[in-house]
Amino acid sequence: MFENVYSGKKVLITGHTGFKGSWLTTWLLRLGAHVIGISDEVPTKPSMFHELGLCDRISNHFCDIRDFDSVVKIVRDYSPDFVFHMAAQAIVSTSYQDPIKTVTTNVVGTTVILEALRQTNIDCVAVIITSDKCYENVEWEWGYKETDQIGGKDIYSGSKGAAESIFHSYYCSFFSKPDCRQRVASARAGNVIGGGDWAKDRIVVDCMKNWAEGIAVEIRSPDATRPWQHVLEPLSGYLTLGVSLYNSPEFCGQSFNFGPRFEKSRTVLRLLQDLEKIWGFSDDRQAFTVTDNIPFHEAGLLKLNCEKALYKLNWEATLSYDDCVKFVGEWYVSFYKGKNDMHDVTYKQLAAYEEASVRRGGVWSRG
């Protein structure tokens, strides 16, 4: 997998205790990497990080990503071969409640990790992960390309657009020099779902928590359309981008979108109807009700054009929409109903995902 590039390498993940960070940590351990993690806390309870016992499997560090002195010391002490920067304030509703924390975490935090790499001047590949929300969303039906305008009407989107601007300015100012020892790129993805997510104000999370207690969930935008993708899809893209940067300076300074296969979008309503079947409901009314309470602005449609990742990196998503929903539903059913060893469940899903990529002839799964 991934040309065995990550085996034996030191990989620093910021935001490793979060949903995506925990999946990436688990996958890199499976690939034979030594993982170093930086997070300010474990953000949810329950958490995938705790359920899988990841603290005992990695070099774990709790510090604020905005704390430059602490971050640069960790980078200097470990001299990581790879950095995946995922630490962020990632909840849209929280950005309205605490815009200062959102902006400083997402913008200053990105600056800190880039400056730490510059000052330590280690040989390193860094993937700076932002979001599809970095684009100025005009609600059109075409997917946004990496060259489209960045920005946003809300604080969260604006912070992600600003993080991309910081990445670009750091590349042009420092990392584009011929003698530079760092290779950096940015990655954008969105609408990620999967087992182990317990962040607030996310539709799948709200469903699973409520259903576990026998309560129907309220949904506010049943017709909102999203290109849903399983968490492993963009993670495979980030890891592929890391390998490509490691092998060639060609991709340094570039940005890549990672999204679902064939832009197979579904409404929120359709997603919930499919998940409720896996949970065991026989009637929509048992699972959810529709409310007109919409407390903050959310995009109705946001799609990514991922052709660049296909043609430059030979990357494309692996799972169909149905497979994605199956992975998500079965993970949560195992947790809430089966009381299974979730490390084992997660490893089996990773193996199944890798096997699916092999069957499809995915480039990253060949070596």
Side-chain angles (χ1 to χ4, degrees):
M1 299 289 163
F2 302 104
E3 304 176 21
N4 293 319
V5 163
Y6 294 106
S7 179
K9 297 296 196 306
K10 293 175 290 184
V11 183
L12 172 63
I13 304 174
T14 72
H16 69 298
T17 59
F19 162 54
K20 288 174 72 176
S22 293
W23 272 99
L24 181 59
T25 297
T26 305
W27 202 353
L28 281 165
L29 290 172
R30 178 179 168 83
L31 294 171
H34 171 206
V35 177
I36 307 104
I38 297 177
S39 290
D40 63 345
E41 62 181 355
V42 179
T44 63
K45 187 177 181 179
S47 74
M48 187 174 180
F49 183 74
H50 281 153
E51 290 298 327
L52 271 59
L54 295 178
C55 186
D56 298 328
R57 303 172 189 268
I58 66 171
S59 298
N60 185 59
H61 296 270
F62 286 113
C63 77
D64 194 315
I65 192 61
R66 297 168 293 184
D67 181 350
F68 177 74
D69 290 340
S70 295
V71 171
V72 77
K73 182 179 186 305
I74 293 168
V75 172
R76 184 174 287 117
D77 287 349
Y78 287 96
S79 295
D81 303 293
F82 292 88
V83 171
F84 290 92
H85 174 55
M86 307 178 76
Q89 195 302 97
I91 308 300
V92 174
S93 60
T94 300
S95 72
Y96 282 90
Q97 298 160 6
D98 196 344
I100 291 178
K101 181 178 181 181
T102 300
V103 172
T104 56
T105 301
N106 296 350
V107 183
V108 176
T110 298
T111 307
V112 164
I113 198 69
L114 291 168
E115 181 64 10
L117 290 174
R118 185 181 79 88
Q119 288 201 16
T120 55
N121 197 30
I122 59 173
D123 292 311
C124 186
V125 165
V127 178
I128 307 301
I129 295 149
T130 62
S131 168
D132 62 348
K133 306 300 189 298
C134 71
Y135 292 107
E136 181 72 43
N137 187 8
V138 295
E139 302 275 350
W140 62 21
E141 60 184 281
W142 301 281
Y144 293 90
K145 297 184 291 186
E146 291 83 353
T147 52
D148 285 328
Q149 182 175 342
I150 59 175
K153 298 180 178 70
D154 62 274
I155 293 296
Y156 176 71
S157 299
S159 73
K160 288 300 186 178
E164 284 283 353
S165 292
I166 289 296
F167 157 76
H168 180 69
S169 63
Y170 255 81
Y171 167 71
C172 292
S173 299
F174 307 116
F175 300 134
S176 61
K177 309 304 180 186
D179 59 346
C180 183
R181 300 170 64 186
Q182 296 83 42
R183 296 177 183 176
V184 298
S186 76
R188 305 159 181 176
N191 300 299
V192 172
I193 56 177
D197 189 4
W198 281 286
K200 70 173 185 175
D201 295 330
R202 289 183 179 165
I203 186 60
V204 172
V205 179
D206 291 345
C207 285
M208 298 307 162
K209 284 183 174 180
N210 280 32
W211 294 352
E213 298 176 4
I215 303 170
V217 69
E218 287 189 352
I219 58 173
R220 59 180 178 262
S221 302
D223 297 323
T225 301
R226 298 287 187 270
W228 308 102
Q229 63 177 325
H230 190 270
V231 62
L232 290 176
E233 301 282 38
L235 294 186
S236 71
Y238 306 160
L239 291 169
T240 299
L241 178 54
V243 171
S244 298
L245 280 167
Y246 181 81
N247 288 335
S248 171
E250 171 190 354
F251 304 104
C252 188
Q254 296 192 35
S255 298
F256 289 87
N257 292 334
F258 297 102
R261 195 152 54 106
F262 308 128
E263 294 287 3
K264 289 194 173 179
S265 300
R266 300 291 190 279
T267 64
V268 169
L269 179 61
R270 170 64 187 278
L271 175 67
L272 266 57
Q273 288 173 331
D274 292 335
L275 284 172
E276 72 179 45
K277 294 174 185 175
I278 298 174
W279 192 267
F281 288 118
S282 57
D283 188 330
D284 285 352
R285 290 171 295 183
Q286 296 175 298
F288 59 84
T289 59
V290 179
T291 178
D292 59 0
N293 176 28
I294 304 177
F296 49 83
H297 172 268
E298 287 185 295
L301 178 65
L302 181 57
K303 298 165 66 175
L304 295 180
N305 180 318
C306 301
E307 291 182 2
K308 182 179 179 181
L310 174 62
Y311 292 112
K312 294 265 188 173
L313 307 178
N314 291 316
W315 178 91
E316 60 181 328
T318 296
L319 301 177
S320 67
Y321 166 79
D322 290 337
D323 288 335
C324 168
V325 173
K326 185 172 183 288
F327 269 48
V328 175
E330 290 183 351
W331 198 100
Y332 282 110
V333 167
S334 295
F335 178 80
Y336 282 112
K337 294 186 174 183
K339 303 298 181 184
N340 295 323
D341 179 339
M342 297 315 298
H343 188 271
D344 182 55
V345 170
T346 302
Y347 251 54
K348 286 180 179 177
Q349 288 204 341
L350 275 166
Y353 181 75
E354 291 172 348
E355 290 167 5
S357 180
V358 170
R359 289 195 300 271
R360 292 195 70 251
V363 171
W364 59 263
S365 58
R366 291 177 186 172

